[in-house]
Amino acid sequence: MAEAEGSGFEDRKPKSDEAHSAFSVPPGMEPEVPEEDQPTSEFARPAGAEPPAAEPEGSAFAAPATYSAQHSPSAYTPGQGFPVARMKESPWQDRMRTMLRMPVDVRPGPELVQRPTEAGPAVGRVLDLTLRIGELLLAGGEGAEDVEAAMFAVARSYGLDRCEPTVTFTMLSITHQPSLVDDPVSANRTVRRRGTDYTRLAAVYQLVDDISAHEFDISLEEAYRRLAEIRRNRHPYPGWVLTTAAGLLAGAASTLVGGGVLVFIAAAVGAVLGDRLAWLCAGRGLPEFYQFVVAAMPPAAIGVALNMTGIDVKASAVITGGLFALLPGRALVAAVQDGLTGFYITASARLLEVMYLFIGIIMGVLVVLYVGLQFDASPRPEEVLQIQQRPLIQIAASMVLVFTFAILLQQERSTVWIVTLNGGVAWVTFGALHYAGGIPPVPSTAIAAGLVGLFGQLFSRYRFASALPYTTAAIGPLLPGSATYYGLLLIAENRLNEGLGSLVNAAAIALAIAIGVNLGSETSRLFMRIPGAASAAKRRAAKRTRGF
């Protein structure tokens, strides 16, 4: 019996001193991982916190009644990204714009178009080529969103998918991050010179189109060679053609507002003199502001001189025609387009540029008008707004105006006739709405400009080119030359309130032109297939902000 008791005691006896440790794990319990070895999450619920209460029914944060967690779609992004449908009939502008509006982590995987070298894509050279192409586009007056789309297309075509281009009024930058652990590579370029040459702009668009196309194999050396040729190309029209076009533009504009043959000749001579004086100031290095001041003086001086001679002509049409040749409609459309597409810094800078140029025109005309009033000139402000309706002559004058405007913009000869037809349609629409229908000028102008933007965008998508050559010159007949001169004349006669009201009306017409062109361009996308429509149902592009 004692032996049995002794045997049981031996079984209950601790085999070592570890059984008496206060830190030993009781039998049947899993050992705890030390806190420093356990990963923490900023989204973990603190110890002792109560679980969140269920949202009441109808709350904006409550899950829908039809939602089921078991049947919910996957919420992760594959490592290779989401596939994008390749649609050869979709222009690269639309494809790149769609991807730019997506966050970086949900963009489709890169679709290598141009074959890189064995060592991989030359990051520095690709970024430099991208910036040079963007510089030519921005300097040519292209909108910031289209410049970013072109830069993004070039970078992706050469294998750099994690790129973020940034465009402002004078600065271009692009950043490439090879991976999440590698250091990003950034480059930037400053736009110091701006010039209007739509032939060069079309050539750059063709280069970007070829780089982003699978049918062409364009190496970096070939792309640099073509870019150098584009920079060296001479303008398609010599200087005397541009000066003659400026005179014909002013003459056609004076006919559009009621002038006759003598007024046509006087307006053309005044515009030619103003153009030559502006070229002289540019050659001496004077800023563009003073060039506009000088260019506005000769047409105003000739108009005042005709008024003082007592000849029975509409002298105000001479000054109005000169204003049509100077109003910065191209810069205004680009500024409003950048603002409507979310590039507010670039839009603000371009609007400031438009304001300075407009003030320069006002100063040049007002100086001449004040001098004329000192010599007992008797301008008749009421005749400015008395425009005689001559439908056939005005349609012909509007088309001549658009034709000469396209030459001043250095457009390709193949696009001049298309934009001339587009401008004629715009003026016919405006005349039918305003003169025949009695609709106020601002909505009539907006509708006519909307047709310009619609047809121009469709033409550009048909030719896979920029929309500027098909829209900018076409808005020429719609520019508020009469309202601008009427306001300046009232200010010169010390009728300040009425004059400022007329200038505000001119500004409203100019904004109606810009907004109408942009709205027409956006409307054109309703008639085109959206690139990547197959994957759009899985994950759509991020919507724009709505003020909150």
Side-chain angles (χ1 to χ4, degrees):
M1 185 69 179
E3 184 178 353
E5 292 178 356
S7 177
F9 178 78
E10 291 293 335
D11 293 337
R12 295 191 300 270
K13 181 180 179 180
K15 297 181 180 180
S16 66
D17 294 338
E18 294 179 0
H20 299 283
S21 174
F23 301 97
S24 59
V25 181
M29 299 293 293
E30 296 292 334
E32 296 182 357
V33 180
E35 187 175 356
E36 60 270 15
D37 296 335
Q38 182 176 352
T40 59
S41 171
E42 58 180 331
F43 301 103
R45 185 183 301 118
E50 295 293 332
E55 293 288 343
E57 185 177 357
S59 171
F61 300 97
T66 57
Y67 175 79
S68 174
Q70 298 178 352
H71 302 90
S72 62
S74 56
Y76 66 93
T77 304
Q80 70 276 11
F82 288 95
V84 61
R86 286 176 52 187
M87 299 173 58
K88 295 183 179 180
E89 66 273 12
S90 297
W92 58 264
Q93 299 101 307
D94 294 331
R95 299 198 306 266
M96 296 302 110
R97 187 183 292 110
T98 301
M99 283 188 283
L100 278 173
R101 293 176 180 178
M102 294 181 179
V104 179
D105 56 341
V106 299
R107 286 176 183 168
E111 186 178 0
L112 189 62
V113 177
Q114 304 299 332
R115 290 174 296 183
T117 59
E118 296 180 357
V123 176
R125 298 195 65 194
V126 172
L127 295 183
D128 179 70
L129 175 66
T130 302
L131 289 173
R132 291 177 183 272
I133 290 177
E135 178 191 10
L136 286 181
L137 292 177
L138 188 62
E142 191 60 81
E145 186 177 33
D146 291 327
V147 175
E148 282 196 358
M151 296 172 64
F152 194 65
V154 173
R156 284 181 64 90
S157 299
Y158 286 107
L160 305 185
D161 58 315
R162 285 181 168 271
C163 285
E164 281 297 327
T166 304
V167 176
T168 59
F169 186 60
T170 57
M171 177 70 72
L172 297 167
S173 63
I174 186 169
T175 301
H176 168 64
Q177 188 171 10
S179 66
L180 296 177
V181 296
D182 293 329
D183 295 331
V185 181
S186 299
N188 57 68
R189 195 172 184 87
T190 303
V191 180
R192 301 188 183 278
R193 295 188 60 185
R194 299 178 185 274
T196 304
D197 189 345
Y198 283 0
T199 300
R200 177 181 295 175
L201 189 69
V204 176
Y205 259 79
Q206 185 62 48
L207 174 59
V208 178
D209 188 33
D210 293 343
I211 290 176
S212 58
H214 293 266
E215 294 80 9
F216 299 96
D217 184 13
I218 301 179
S219 62
L220 282 173
E221 289 73 15
E222 175 67 15
Y224 269 107
R225 184 189 65 79
R226 290 181 56 178
L227 193 62
E229 290 180 355
I230 293 173
R231 285 181 173 274
R232 288 195 302 265
N233 279 349
R234 297 173 60 90
H235 297 308
Y237 308 104
W240 66 270
V241 173
L242 298 179
T243 302
T244 304
L248 291 177
L249 190 155
S254 65
T255 305
L256 196 65
V257 295
V261 177
L262 181 59
V263 172
F264 181 96
I265 297 174
V269 172
V272 169
L273 292 177
D275 181 77
R276 288 294 89 192
L277 288 176
W279 276 103
L280 181 63
C281 294
R284 296 294 185 271
L286 289 179
E288 198 172 12
F289 173 82
Y290 299 106
Q291 298 175 28
F292 272 76
V293 173
V294 172
M297 288 183 174
I302 293 178
V304 171
L306 282 177
N307 182 269
M308 295 176 62
T309 57
I311 302 176
D312 188 14
V313 294
K314 192 175 182 180
S316 60
V318 178
I319 305 177
T320 303
L323 292 177
F324 268 91
L326 294 176
L327 292 177
R330 173 183 58 87
L332 178 65
V333 171
V336 175
Q337 179 183 356
D338 287 342
L340 294 177
T341 52
F343 294 85
Y344 302 113
I345 297 178
T346 307
S348 301
R350 281 180 164 166
L351 283 176
L352 188 62
E353 178 191 29
V354 170
M355 184 189 71
Y356 271 105
L357 299 182
F358 192 69
I359 291 176
I361 297 171
I362 291 176
M363 288 182 60
V365 176
L366 279 181
V367 168
V368 176
L369 290 179
Y370 275 122
V371 173
L373 290 176
Q374 300 304 318
F375 286 92
D376 297 330
S378 56
R380 298 184 296 272
E382 64 279 356
E383 76 172 6
V384 178
L385 302 180
Q386 296 174 358
I387 300 176
Q388 183 181 359
Q389 298 183 24
R390 300 173 295 176
L392 295 180
I393 296 178
Q394 287 177 321
I395 292 173
S398 66
M399 297 183 73
V400 172
L401 191 154
V402 175
F403 181 83
T404 52
F405 197 0
I407 293 177
L408 287 175
L409 293 175
Q410 305 278 1
Q411 292 190 196
E412 291 180 310
R413 292 175 174 84
S414 60
T415 64
V416 170
W417 302 105
I418 298 176
V419 72
T420 300
L421 180 62
N422 197 10
V425 172
W427 177 256
V428 170
T429 304
F430 172 79
L433 293 174
H434 180 56
Y435 294 117
I439 300 177
V442 174
S444 301
T445 303
I447 295 174
L451 290 179
V452 169
L454 174 61
F455 293 146
Q457 196 67 230
L458 292 178
F459 278 128
S460 69
R461 291 301 184 260
Y462 176 74
R463 294 197 170 194
F464 291 81
S466 171
L468 290 181
Y470 302 98
T471 57
T472 304
I475 66 174
L478 305 176
L479 292 174
S482 298
T484 302
Y485 173 61
Y486 183 65
L488 296 180
L489 189 56
L490 293 177
I491 293 176
E493 293 185 343
N494 205 22
R495 297 161 62 180
L496 188 59
N497 292 334
E498 298 178 30
L500 291 178
S502 182
L503 291 181
V504 170
N505 183 37
I509 294 175
L511 289 178
I513 293 174
I515 294 174
V517 170
N518 182 266
L519 183 60
S521 300
E522 296 294 334
T523 305
S524 66
R525 295 187 175 91
L526 298 176
F527 304 96
M528 296 181 294
R529 297 177 61 186
I530 301 176
S535 60
K538 297 181 180 179
R539 185 179 293 271
R540 299 181 181 272
K543 294 182 179 179
R544 299 188 185 277
T545 59
R546 298 181 180 177
F548 52 83

